Amino acid sequence: MIRAPEDPVDQPSPFYYMSLRMQDVTGDGGVLKEVLRHGSGRIIPLTASVSDITLLGMELAMPTMKKGEFSRFLFKPQYAYGVMGCPPRIPPNATIMFEMEVLDFLDTVESDEYFSMSQEEQVKYPLDKLPNVANTERELGNHFFHQKRYEDAKDQYKKALSVFANRQPANEAQNQKFHSSKLLLFLNLSIIYLKLDLPSRALVYGERALQIESKHPKALFRCGQACMLLLEYDKAKDFLIKAQKLEPFNPDINSALVKLDGCFREWNLKEKEMCSRMFAASKHATVKD
């Protein structure tokens, strides 16, 4: 961000020549735009969720952009920090320059509509729209996951799953969409519970994913990880071997099997040591008698 005070009329602003090649977004010259890298797809809708919007100028600039776009904007004071500025960094009555990039956005209009309804209204919501609502909530959960806000991500994924409660698909096409959405959510919840150090819950959701797709390598891998943490090594091996057969060159699966082999060796060693101590104690008691 670069800032410049409004200069006297006879002295051009540092941004004057830049502004000549820019597009007027607001029609009054208050927000000007120059595209530095074009994006793709549709323009961000007004109903989209975008993080870190702090200024009126930014709020008006975002709906002119597309995913992947990188643009430069000039905001006049009334669209930025106003007459007062924001001391000490932003002087009074300052025009500021922002360079903005759209990494991603979510159109939450359907999701917001659904969750604003009563339960009676929700059960009448069109079945075809339910996967879209769930997927929007899942994407919000993914956002929390990448920020390592695991409890928030868990709540978001469960909120997404609630969309399918007490609703039955009307045909095979809808059934496939329901299953696809639920599969992703079960996988998400499985890894979330691993992050939260709750392997028993991770196993539950991994197995629910396998009920939808019995040969899903990621679901098998998650179950294997959970069983290792639960010290159920035989079950862990079964899950991981099945996952490896599906993806023999997957480094995560292969690393887990190497780790599991080490766990087996350590476990066997402890068992031998325990048996040796028990035998020694028994022999000592016999000799004493």
Side-chain angles (χ1 to χ4, degrees):
M1 179 183 71
I2 301 175
R3 59 190 185 279
E6 292 297 288
D7 293 357
V9 176
D10 58 350
Q11 181 179 353
S13 161
F15 296 138
Y16 172 74
Y17 294 106
M18 181 189 299
S19 69
L20 295 178
R21 63 177 185 267
M22 301 180 86
Q23 171 192 355
D24 187 350
V25 172
T26 53
D28 61 356
V31 177
L32 302 178
K33 174 182 179 180
E34 178 184 13
V35 177
L36 303 179
R37 184 184 69 230
H38 290 279
S40 60
R42 58 182 179 139
I43 291 174
I44 298 175
L46 294 173
T47 54
S49 293
V50 184
S51 61
D52 298 330
I53 300 297
T54 56
L55 299 175
L56 176 59
M58 294 174 70
E59 186 176 337
L60 296 172
M62 291 304 300
T64 72
M65 301 181 73
K66 299 179 179 180
K67 183 177 179 178
E69 181 179 324
F70 182 52
S71 291
R72 178 179 293 142
F73 293 90
L74 290 180
F75 300 151
K76 289 292 181 68
Q78 64 270 32
Y79 293 98
Y81 293 98
V83 176
M84 301 296 293
C86 188
R89 293 187 61 203
I90 310 296
N93 207 37
T95 292
I96 63 174
M97 185 188 81
F98 265 89
E99 290 184 346
M100 298 166 56
E101 181 180 13
V102 178
L103 301 176
D104 206 352
F105 67 88
L106 281 175
D107 187 354
T108 60
V109 61
E110 287 185 345
S111 178
D112 293 341
E113 177 189 29
Y114 177 83
F115 286 104
S116 67
M117 293 178 174
S118 66
Q119 289 186 349
E120 291 76 13
E121 292 172 321
Q122 287 179 354
V123 296
K124 299 176 182 178
Y125 196 78
L127 289 170
D128 286 336
K129 291 185 176 183
L130 290 180
N132 293 336
V133 173
N135 290 339
T136 297
E137 296 301 316
R138 187 179 71 85
E139 288 295 333
L140 288 171
N142 291 346
H143 174 71
F144 292 139
F145 178 85
H146 293 308
Q147 292 184 328
K148 298 185 178 180
R149 295 167 56 184
Y150 299 132
E151 285 287 351
D152 291 331
K154 178 198 71 175
D155 293 342
Q156 203 65 47
Y157 294 144
K158 287 195 170 184
K159 183 179 179 182
L161 267 180
S162 72
V163 169
F164 300 107
N166 304 317
R167 301 300 303 272
Q168 296 298 323
N171 52 55
E172 184 56 31
Q174 285 181 355
N175 189 51
Q176 288 296 324
K177 289 182 178 180
F178 276 36
H179 277 175
S180 295
S181 293
K182 290 163 77 173
L183 175 64
L184 292 174
L185 288 164
F186 290 149
L187 290 171
N188 289 143
L189 281 163
S190 185
I191 192 171
I192 277 292
Y193 279 115
L194 287 173
K195 294 292 186 182
L196 293 172
D197 196 24
L198 293 169
S200 60
R201 299 301 299 161
L203 181 59
V204 166
Y205 283 102
E207 289 180 329
R208 287 183 185 177
L210 290 174
Q211 289 174 4
I212 294 175
E213 189 174 331
S214 62
K215 294 185 178 181
H216 195 288
K218 191 171 288 187
L220 290 165
F221 177 54
R222 297 277 179 261
C223 289
Q225 288 178 298
C227 287
M228 281 179 65
L229 293 172
L230 292 168
L231 307 183
E232 297 180 9
Y233 296 142
D234 288 328
K235 285 183 66 176
K237 183 178 180 180
D238 183 54
F239 282 124
L240 292 173
I241 290 295
K242 288 178 180 178
Q244 188 186 51
K245 286 180 179 178
L246 295 168
E247 292 188 355
F249 302 109
N250 185 307
D252 294 329
I253 295 172
N254 291 331
S255 294
L257 280 166
V258 171
K259 183 178 179 181
L260 179 62
D261 186 58
C263 291
F264 268 120
R265 286 199 302 270
E266 184 179 352
W267 182 264
N268 288 333
L269 182 61
K270 287 181 178 179
E271 278 197 330
K272 286 180 180 179
E273 290 176 351
M274 184 174 65
C275 289
S276 296
R277 288 196 298 269
M278 290 174 63
F279 178 75
S282 175
K283 184 177 180 181
H284 177 72
T286 302
V287 171
K288 187 176 179 180
D289 290 342

